[in-house]
Amino acid sequence: MVATIDVLKDSGYHGLTIERVATSAGVGKTTVYRWWPTKARLVAEALSTQLEFHPVAATGDLRTDIRYLVQRAVQALHRSPLAQVLPEMAYDLDHDPEAREEILKLFGPARASNLSVLYAAVGNGSLPYDLDGALILDIISGTVLYRSLLGRDLGPHIIDQLTDLVVDFRLPRAHPRHDSS
Amino acid sequence: MVATIDVLKDSGYHGLTIERVATSAGVGKTTVYRWWPTKARLVAEALSTQLEFHPVAATGDLRTDIRYLVQRAVQALHRSPLAQVLPEMAYDLDHDPEAREEILKLFGPARASNLSVLYAAVGNGSLPYDLDGALILDIISGTVLYRSLLGRDLGPHIIDQLTDLVVDFRLPRAHPRHDSS
């Protein structure tokens, strides 16, 4: 797994071959194939060793909690190994359902924790009772990943804008609010 | 360019090499390199020949116009050649600013047209005067691309949900509205 991460850092998903991983780990190619039948599954498992999962607890203050979710999405999906590798894997994931399953499992704990924060706010009436929490999370993550992919701005203003979208149902504005905290 | 698209269809960005494109086009590798110094720039230009650009005109009915923007994002970014190749190119785009420039140019006309629709609505008072239209477009495109990447649902309900988000400042709900048109 360390060998896989080393090769990924060096040349991206794109330049990773089972052969290079085997050489770097000092084992034979067939040994690698025995455990990970496809490159996508090898990489999915290697990435899982890189993700530290810190469960979030809702503070009860909606703005604090949502801002924290947005900040976590930026940390996870901008200039991170996951953010760099995940888009590159897209084609292989489309052709390798087991690898996609592995990747979804990677996101599982953080996603469940993020949903629990949203639904705590639903539970105390701060957010609508019939909220589609999964889509809220995809809107946040998707916007961050897309901006990262195109090299567009991901500064502090966008964290305010995405927070305000969820907390105040406020469409993003071009300029920061004066009362923004 | 036809040769490049053929190779892309066959094996994705990942499996495309300048050599395969040269062979498929019946020319030498150096000929290809003379015009396109990197693979990313070759692919960016090839993709540009695949995108048909249809300018949108605002109808003046906000819901109709926004729904159309969302539908166009789904068409452009879900199961399209662009959607398949763009994420795969992420690593190369990070290391090839000229290729990223080419890709941003690809999006340019459609993006300008989409912005004009949003700002027509701003101009007639249907949307806030200080709207960050660029971020609205990135929220829509990012959500669609992210869902597509992870193989998550992109059915008609999400078109309603993203439309309602912009038109009614309404956070996405789990179930369709009864009055949804």
Side-chain angles (χ1 to χ4, degrees):
Chain A
M1 289 296 102
V2 176
T4 307
I5 295 295
D6 285 346
V7 176
L8 275 180
K9 281 186 183 148
D10 212 41
S11 48
Y13 181 77
H14 185 70
L16 182 143
T17 60
I18 299 278
E19 189 151 20
R20 284 189 63 185
V21 172
T23 306
S24 168
V27 299
K29 265 171 69 169
T30 47
T31 307
V32 179
Y33 278 118
R34 192 175 312 140
W35 295 100
W36 299 281
T38 65
K39 166 174 155 178
R41 287 172 69 183
L42 171 68
V43 169
E45 194 166 327
L47 285 174
S48 74
T49 67
Q50 296 293 294
L51 287 180
E52 284 181 72
F53 167 59
H54 305 285
V56 209
T59 66
D61 179 67
L62 182 62
R63 192 172 305 276
T64 305
D65 289 340
I66 300 299
R67 179 182 300 274
Y68 189 57
L69 291 191
V70 174
Q71 281 169 333
R72 289 212 329 165
V74 173
Q75 276 157 22
L77 292 172
H78 183 48
R79 300 187 198 289
S80 70
L82 179 66
Q84 199 161 58
V85 174
L86 180 69
E88 267 197 288
M89 294 179 75
Y91 183 85
D92 283 0
L93 294 183
D94 263 348
H95 298 81
D96 187 344
E98 296 194 42
R100 172 167 276 158
E101 227 16 75
E102 286 293 319
I103 289 285
L104 290 177
K105 268 193 226 157
L106 278 188
F107 286 107
R111 193 171 170 85
S113 171
N114 290 340
L115 280 175
S116 79
V117 170
L118 282 178
Y119 287 116
V122 169
N124 69 30
S126 308
L127 288 175
Y129 76 96
D130 56 351
L131 190 77
D132 184 345
L135 182 55
I136 300 275
L137 296 182
D138 288 347
I139 287 172
I140 295 172
S141 299
T143 305
V144 170
L145 189 66
Y146 189 72
R147 287 229 145 174
S148 179
L149 203 60
L150 296 182
R152 291 206 181 110
D153 177 45
L154 271 167
H157 185 36
I158 199 179
I159 293 179
D160 287 334
Q161 289 173 308
L162 291 174
T163 303
D164 291 351
L165 181 74
V166 179
V167 175
D168 305 318
F169 319 145
R170 186 177 194 268
L171 287 185
R173 306 304 160 88
H175 301 290
R177 294 165 85 164
H178 291 298
D179 63 335
S180 176
S181 56
Chain B
M1 290 296 101
V2 177
T4 307
I5 294 294
D6 285 346
V7 176
L8 276 179
K9 280 186 184 148
D10 210 42
S11 49
Y13 182 76
H14 185 69
L16 180 143
T17 60
I18 299 278
E19 189 152 18
R20 285 189 63 185
V21 172
T23 307
S24 169
V27 298
K29 264 170 72 169
T30 47
T31 307
V32 179
Y33 277 118
R34 191 176 310 142
W35 295 100
W36 300 279
T38 66
K39 168 173 153 175
R41 287 170 68 183
L42 171 68
V43 170
E45 194 167 328
L47 285 174
S48 74
T49 66
Q50 295 294 293
L51 287 180
E52 283 181 74
F53 168 59
H54 306 284
V56 208
T59 66
D61 180 67
L62 183 62
R63 192 172 306 275
T64 305
D65 289 340
I66 300 299
R67 179 183 301 273
Y68 189 57
L69 291 191
V70 174
Q71 281 169 333
R72 289 214 327 167
V74 173
Q75 276 157 21
L77 292 171
H78 184 50
R79 301 188 198 288
S80 69
L82 180 66
Q84 199 161 57
V85 174
L86 181 68
E88 267 197 287
M89 293 180 77
Y91 182 85
D92 283 0
L93 294 183
D94 264 347
H95 298 80
D96 188 345
E98 296 195 41
R100 172 167 278 157
E101 228 15 76
E102 285 294 318
I103 289 286
L104 290 177
K105 267 192 228 159
L106 278 188
F107 286 107
R111 193 171 171 84
S113 171
N114 290 340
L115 280 174
S116 79
V117 170
L118 282 179
Y119 287 116
V122 169
N124 70 29
S126 308
L127 287 176
Y129 75 96
D130 56 351
L131 190 77
D132 185 345
L135 182 54
I136 301 274
L137 296 182
D138 287 348
I139 287 173
I140 294 171
S141 298
T143 304
V144 170
L145 188 66
Y146 189 72
R147 288 229 146 174
S148 179
L149 205 58
L150 295 182
R152 291 206 180 110
D153 176 46
L154 272 167
H157 185 36
I158 199 177
I159 292 177
D160 287 335
Q161 288 173 308
L162 291 174
T163 303
D164 291 351
L165 183 73
V166 178
V167 175
D168 305 318
F169 320 146
R170 187 178 194 267
L171 287 184
R173 305 305 160 87
H175 300 290
R177 294 165 87 163
H178 291 298
D179 63 335
S180 177
S181 57

